[in-house]
Amino acid sequence: MTDYLKELNSDQIKAVVQIDGASMVIAGAGSGKTRVLTYKVAHLLKNGISPFNILALTFTNKASKEMRNRIDRIVGGQQSRNLWMGTFHSVFSRILRSEAEKISFPTNFTIYDTADSKSLIRSIIKDLNLDKEVYKVGTIQNRISSLKNNFITPQGYNSHPELLQTDVKAKRTEFGRIYHQYVQRCFKSGAMDFDDLLVNTYKLLNDFPEVMHKYQNKFKYILVDEYQDTNHIQYLIIKILAALNENICVVGDDAQSIYAFRGANIQNILNFKIDYPEYKLYKLEQNYRSTKNIVQTANSLIKHNEKQIEKVVWTDNKEGDSILICETATDNDEGRLVANTINNLLSEDNFSDFSILYRTNAQSRALEESLRKMGIPYKIYGGLSFYQRKEIKDVLAYFRMAINLKDEEALKRTINYPARGIGTTTIQKLIISSNENDISIWEVISDLDKFDIKINSGTRNKLKSYVTLIKSFASQTESKNAYDLADHITKTSGLFTLLKSDTSPEGVSRFENIQELLSGMQDFIENYDGDTNPILSEFMKDVALLTDTDKEKKEDFNKVTLMTIHASKGLEFPYVFVVGLEEGLFPSMMSGNSQSDLEEERRLFYVAITRAEKRLFLSYSNIRFKWGQYIDSEASRFLAELDQRYVTKKNFLKDQKTNRNPHKIFAKTKTTTNKKFSPQGFKKASKLSNTSIKKSNLIKLKNGQIVKHEKFGTGKVITIEGEGPNKKATVFFNGIGNKQLLLKFARLKIMK
């Protein structure tokens, strides 16, 4: 047997070694799904399949990055660079940049993220003088997204009586105008939103046979991760691409299909056998993650679903502790119970071993309050990501303008920031003129004298200065590398000075974020492996597509994680708390509409259970604070569906009445140490002092010294090379490996 296959079990090997034809791998929770997908790509490469002919679609950038690293370790060299591997949006945006002119878009089109999309909708609502309470931005955005994914254009909407009637009833009679203007203004700005990346890819393949044949011949082997989470349009694109060769392998778990609310269609995985009658089915049923009790509890729950592909998940892991279910009086009691239990179970400072999962974001309040009182550090997973912070979006807007002068959202963000005396009234006049003449705002301000706009001479001069500034940036996009141009833009635009002048804690944090962005761009240049020069447009290609996990700060690593169950998919933790298991909350009151909705809620609970490795704690409250008042609650029906052989029930109320310590009832007696942590106690006291390496004193660093990096942690210097500002150090970091760092950017600290 080939060496790398020895690392797989027999079921995994069967799924990996099939090269030709259609196959579906149903992978139970913790069964090594990503491992199989990775080894299957490696096996294709080992058998002479060109990496240029392999398309591998994942749901996160993080997953594709980890897969690339594993593939290179197996096959040797760096063949993974030539794979078409990434998220649906990143791969399809790559195709679109090659073929954009066919659908009348520039190759350097801007990708509008959710915030950009909402900003544009907000502007349109304001321009049309509509009531923002009736035309809620989020509602309008979701409706536009839904229509696009069902291939309904603004023209199609206006000729669809049922859709029109729905908006009449909702008193949104102007929705059609908003939708029309949204599409037009995106097009004028040379911009696509996330939905457009899918819709336009389908349009390319469907309307241009030569494009379809090109990519059908190119992608001879197609692999799709998390197939149960694909929506209708993703399914159609995959089906077109696979139609010629039918060498398609999809991996997923129907029991973990939880994204119907954003368009995922479980029928895609259930009907795979209809699309490919000759397909081979492989089941990965051995769970490597959780204890026997956790696996059996999850199995006992999911068997209540009717729509599923039959499988029996099992594990060779130890039996483990029973699952504890606790009833509490209020949600505040529930929060205190969880916080104290974490404190009791804590081993050293491993806060990252713990995760608290809930059905809705609003539930975090009581939990956060209790954690703070106990001095337990925590993070809200899926909060504001690095690239969504205002100061970062401000800088990125300047970068976008340099690359695409017609980008309306970037122009509105930069035209008067830092302040240039160009007011909202002037900007509104420019927008009106651009709409009347059906051109971009940039085209208006680039030739102001051509248009009859009532603007005083002072403002005209300010607009001309802005145009000159942006043109100067645009003229350097091909000649300067990404970092040098970014550094030039931040300083010349005035952003650097503005942010540095704010010495408040918030201001310092914003300035540090800009420095972090620039450091990241330097890292991008040092590790760039593309065919072209590492210019700004290459850096910006994927920025709008980055997920929250792609930019996690080092200081966020060792904290208790709070998140919704939806956000937890794909993650795992030694200790998991699932709170708020009450009727109307989990399952959600909205799930009572149909059997399919209830089954999705049950799958969501299944996902929550299977995140746990060692111990699982479930809780519910008799009273919960909702909508400004206390509401009586009752235990979720899902708790009754669990096989009672694997659970132990505890009653927080009884323990209160008998004066026992109710906060210890989740913890095993032998592990209860009842440690108390002050905010200063998060990190062990260290006798080491540290000294930052100044750019002017790089000579301090020597081979063998212990250093600290804010992202990678503590490491040891292996080698030093170069002179002066070009001096580099290779540092070995535990758990990460060797990293080569340019010292003037690395901000290392020498530990004495």
Side-chain angles (χ1 to χ4, degrees):
M1 185 187 291
T2 310
D3 285 345
Y4 63 90
L5 293 179
K6 292 178 182 176
E7 300 173 22
L8 306 173
N9 66 34
S10 58
D11 290 328
Q12 291 172 333
I13 290 171
K14 291 174 188 174
V16 164
V17 298
Q18 182 189 333
I19 291 178
D20 296 319
S23 64
M24 178 164 67
V25 182
I26 296 299
S31 64
K33 169 180 63 66
T34 305
R35 187 180 187 84
V36 165
L37 200 63
T38 303
Y39 277 67
K40 193 169 181 72
V41 174
H43 188 69
L44 290 172
L45 294 171
K46 284 278 192 179
N47 281 271
I49 308 300
S50 169
F52 294 100
N53 295 138
I54 299 172
L55 170 64
L57 296 167
T58 65
F59 263 77
T60 66
N61 295 298
K62 186 180 179 183
S64 62
K65 184 177 180 181
E66 289 173 355
M67 285 175 64
R68 285 182 191 277
N69 292 335
R70 284 195 210 175
I71 290 165
D72 285 340
R73 284 201 296 270
I74 296 168
V75 301
Q78 294 183 317
Q79 291 193 58
S80 71
R81 291 184 179 184
N82 299 321
L83 293 166
W84 281 67
M85 178 185 283
T87 64
F88 283 85
H89 290 97
S90 65
V91 170
F92 294 165
S93 67
R94 187 175 166 188
I95 292 174
L96 285 167
R97 290 195 189 281
S98 297
E99 314 290 344
E101 292 178 0
K102 290 184 175 63
I103 54 173
S104 303
F105 271 87
T107 56
N108 63 340
F109 63 83
T110 299
I111 298 173
Y112 278 179
D113 62 17
T114 304
D116 295 321
S117 174
K118 284 184 174 180
S119 175
L120 178 54
I121 291 169
R122 196 175 288 110
S123 295
I124 294 168
I125 290 169
K126 183 179 178 181
D127 294 346
L128 295 175
N129 292 314
L130 300 175
D131 186 342
K132 62 183 180 182
E133 294 303 315
V134 175
Y135 295 88
K136 294 183 182 294
V137 172
T139 303
I140 299 299
Q141 185 186 45
N142 290 336
R143 189 144 174 77
I144 289 174
S145 176
S146 176
L147 291 172
K148 284 186 176 183
N149 281 286
N150 284 286
F151 308 110
I152 299 173
T153 63
Q155 294 75 22
Y157 167 84
N158 287 323
S159 58
H160 199 299
E162 289 182 17
L163 292 173
L164 291 168
Q165 190 58 35
T166 298
D167 283 319
V168 167
K169 287 181 180 178
K171 298 181 180 179
R172 290 193 302 259
T173 53
E174 296 297 311
F175 172 80
R177 287 177 69 194
I178 298 172
Y179 186 19
H180 175 76
Q181 284 206 24
Y182 178 81
V183 171
Q184 286 297 105
R185 284 169 71 164
C186 280
F187 183 74
K188 279 194 303 181
S189 299
M192 297 188 199
D193 63 21
F194 287 162
D195 295 310
D196 292 328
L197 296 177
L198 301 179
V199 173
N200 288 336
T201 299
Y202 178 79
K203 182 180 176 66
L204 268 173
L205 298 172
N206 197 56
D207 295 355
F208 299 89
E210 71 278 14
V211 176
M212 179 184 71
H213 293 310
K214 173 183 174 180
Y215 289 100
Q216 283 179 339
N217 282 288
K218 183 175 186 60
F219 301 136
K220 291 182 169 63
Y221 294 87
I222 298 173
L223 302 95
V224 186
D225 193 13
E226 305 285 12
Y227 192 62
Q228 78 281 349
D229 292 333
T230 53
N231 61 26
H232 183 60
I233 195 164
Q234 288 168 331
Y235 159 79
L236 290 174
I237 294 169
I238 294 164
K239 198 166 187 299
I240 289 174
L241 291 173
L244 181 63
N245 300 294
E246 292 200 349
N247 294 324
I248 178 171
C249 174
V250 300
V251 182
D253 182 6
D254 57 297
Q256 297 186 65
S257 178
I258 60 173
Y259 293 119
F261 70 94
R262 66 183 191 198
N265 186 355
I266 193 173
Q267 293 303 320
N268 293 348
I269 197 166
L270 297 177
N271 293 341
F272 188 80
K273 59 186 177 184
I274 298 172
D275 292 330
Y276 307 95
E278 305 297 318
Y279 87 112
K280 297 284 194 303
L281 174 64
Y282 302 99
K283 296 180 182 179
L284 307 182
E285 297 173 307
Q286 182 176 0
N287 179 297
Y288 291 94
R289 176 188 300 158
S290 309
T291 64
K292 282 186 173 72
N293 275 331
I294 292 170
V295 169
Q296 296 285 18
T297 300
N299 286 346
S300 71
L301 172 79
I302 204 63
K303 73 178 184 182
H304 290 86
N305 271 12
E306 293 176 8
K307 289 184 178 179
Q308 59 177 299
I309 298 169
E310 188 178 339
K311 62 181 174 298
V312 180
V313 180
W314 60 278
T315 185
D316 268 341
N317 293 341
K318 65 181 183 180
E319 185 175 333
D321 295 292
S322 63
I323 283 69
L324 286 173
I325 301 177
C326 187
E327 175 185 2
T328 63
T330 69
D331 51 351
N332 288 326
D333 284 333
E334 183 180 49
R336 287 194 292 272
L337 176 66
V338 171
N340 275 278
T341 304
I342 291 172
N343 204 14
N344 293 331
L345 289 173
L346 195 63
S347 173
E348 295 186 350
D349 285 0
N350 296 325
F351 294 103
S352 58
D353 285 350
F354 298 87
S355 178
I356 307 170
L357 309 181
Y358 35 77
R359 181 64 182 83
T360 65
N361 279 305
Q363 290 170 253
S364 74
R365 180 201 58 80
L367 296 160
E368 289 186 71
E369 187 176 302
S370 296
L371 292 171
R372 281 197 300 270
K373 285 179 179 177
M374 289 292 294
I376 296 174
Y378 66 89
K379 64 176 176 181
I380 304 289
Y381 186 94
L384 198 62
S385 72
F386 181 82
Y387 288 102
Q388 291 300 322
R389 293 178 176 133
K390 180 187 180 300
E391 62 275 12
I392 298 299
K393 287 189 76 72
D394 288 336
V395 174
L396 294 179
Y398 272 98
F399 298 172
R400 282 164 47 178
M401 279 303 297
I403 296 164
N404 175 13
L405 297 172
K406 293 184 178 181
D407 187 337
E408 179 178 326
E409 289 306 301
L411 185 145
K412 288 191 295 185
R413 197 169 190 112
T414 57
I415 196 167
N416 196 42
Y417 188 79
R420 297 184 176 88
I422 302 171
T424 53
T425 303
T426 298
I427 295 169
Q428 199 61 31
K429 289 177 181 178
L430 297 172
I431 292 171
I432 292 169
S433 181
S434 76
N435 291 338
E436 287 175 347
N437 292 281
D438 198 24
I439 56 176
S440 68
I441 301 175
W442 174 261
E443 289 171 290
V444 173
I445 62 173
S446 295
D447 196 4
L448 272 174
D449 296 334
K450 183 179 175 182
F451 304 98
D452 184 24
I453 307 174
K454 294 181 180 178
I455 300 174
N456 63 47
S457 58
T459 303
R460 282 179 180 271
N461 290 333
K462 290 167 186 172
L463 286 169
K464 287 176 181 178
S465 296
Y466 170 76
V467 169
T468 302
L469 178 73
I470 299 300
K471 280 183 175 178
S472 74
F473 297 155
S475 67
Q476 301 174 69
T477 54
E478 298 296 323
S479 58
K480 283 191 173 182
N481 69 42
Y483 172 81
D484 289 340
L485 180 55
D487 186 58
H488 172 70
I489 289 174
T490 53
K491 289 174 179 173
T492 310
S493 65
L495 284 174
F496 188 91
T497 303
L498 178 69
L499 291 167
K500 194 173 183 181
S501 65
D502 186 351
T503 57
S504 68
E506 296 80 11
V508 171
S509 176
R510 284 191 286 269
F511 184 70
E512 287 175 348
N513 284 335
I514 299 301
Q515 295 291 78
E516 175 68 20
L517 174 66
L518 293 173
S519 294
M521 297 183 79
Q522 185 65 38
D523 189 55
F524 160 77
I525 290 169
E526 290 181 0
N527 294 288
Y528 185 71
D529 55 16
D531 298 327
T532 59
N533 294 324
I535 56 177
L536 190 60
S537 59
E538 291 298 309
F539 174 80
M540 289 295 290
K541 274 182 181 177
D542 295 325
V543 166
L545 302 172
L546 291 172
T547 58
D548 291 344
T549 55
D550 296 321
K551 193 70 182 178
E552 192 170 15
K553 287 191 171 183
K554 176 71 178 175
E555 61 264 28
D556 283 342
F557 288 174
N558 192 28
K559 294 182 180 180
V560 174
T561 303
L562 279 70
M563 67 178 95
T564 63
I565 302 168
H566 281 103
S568 75
K569 191 162 176 295
L571 304 176
E572 55 191 51
F573 300 88
Y575 303 94
V576 170
F577 297 82
V578 186
V579 300
L581 279 154
E582 298 142 29
E583 284 295 307
L585 182 57
F586 197 14
S588 163
M589 66 175 63
M590 302 297 290
S591 66
N593 297 333
S594 68
Q595 179 67 21
S596 62
D597 289 344
L598 184 61
E599 291 205 353
E600 171 134 345
E601 287 287 298
R602 191 177 287 113
R603 291 194 296 269
L604 188 60
F605 188 27
Y606 177 84
V607 166
I609 291 172
T610 55
R611 299 311 94 199
E613 298 171 355
K614 294 180 181 178
R615 299 200 66 188
L616 175 66
F617 309 100
L618 311 174
S619 61
Y620 63 96
S621 303
N622 290 331
I623 298 172
R624 185 166 296 276
F625 193 73
K626 293 185 203 173
W627 308 301
Q629 58 185 326
Y630 285 100
I631 306 292
D632 289 337
S633 304
E634 60 180 279
S636 167
R637 71 189 76 181
F638 293 154
L639 293 175
E641 293 176 355
L642 303 179
D643 191 324
Q644 301 304 297
R645 289 178 294 173
Y646 309 114
V647 305
T648 299
K649 295 180 180 177
K650 295 283 187 178
N651 193 309
F652 184 53
L653 289 81
K654 288 180 182 177
D655 284 293
Q656 281 181 312
K657 291 174 183 175
T658 56
N659 292 321
R660 290 168 56 197
N661 184 347
H663 304 300
K664 289 186 180 181
I665 65 176
F666 264 175
K668 291 195 296 187
T669 306
K670 65 180 181 181
T671 59
T672 301
T673 57
N674 202 28
K675 299 176 186 176
K676 297 296 179 186
F677 289 91
S678 66
Q680 292 76 26
F682 298 160
K683 297 178 182 177
K684 291 181 179 178
S686 174
K687 296 179 181 178
L688 299 174
S689 62
N690 55 69
T691 308
S692 295
I693 301 173
K694 297 178 181 178
K695 292 179 184 178
S696 59
N697 200 9
L698 298 177
I699 197 169
K700 280 186 178 182
L701 200 63
K702 299 174 184 177
N703 287 351
Q705 279 190 303
I706 304 301
V707 295
K708 189 171 184 180
H709 186 276
E710 63 181 25
K711 180 178 179 183
F712 304 127
T714 303
K716 184 176 182 179
V717 178
I718 307 299
T719 60
I720 298 173
E721 57 188 82
E723 295 295 333
N726 296 318
K727 199 168 189 177
K728 294 180 182 179
T730 299
V731 184
F732 176 80
F733 295 98
N734 285 330
I736 295 173
N738 287 345
K739 284 282 183 182
Q740 192 175 65
L741 305 168
L742 193 64
L743 292 183
K744 69 176 181 179
F745 295 113
R747 289 180 288 186
L748 290 172
K749 290 184 178 179
I750 298 174
M751 311 301 288
K752 291 184 179 178

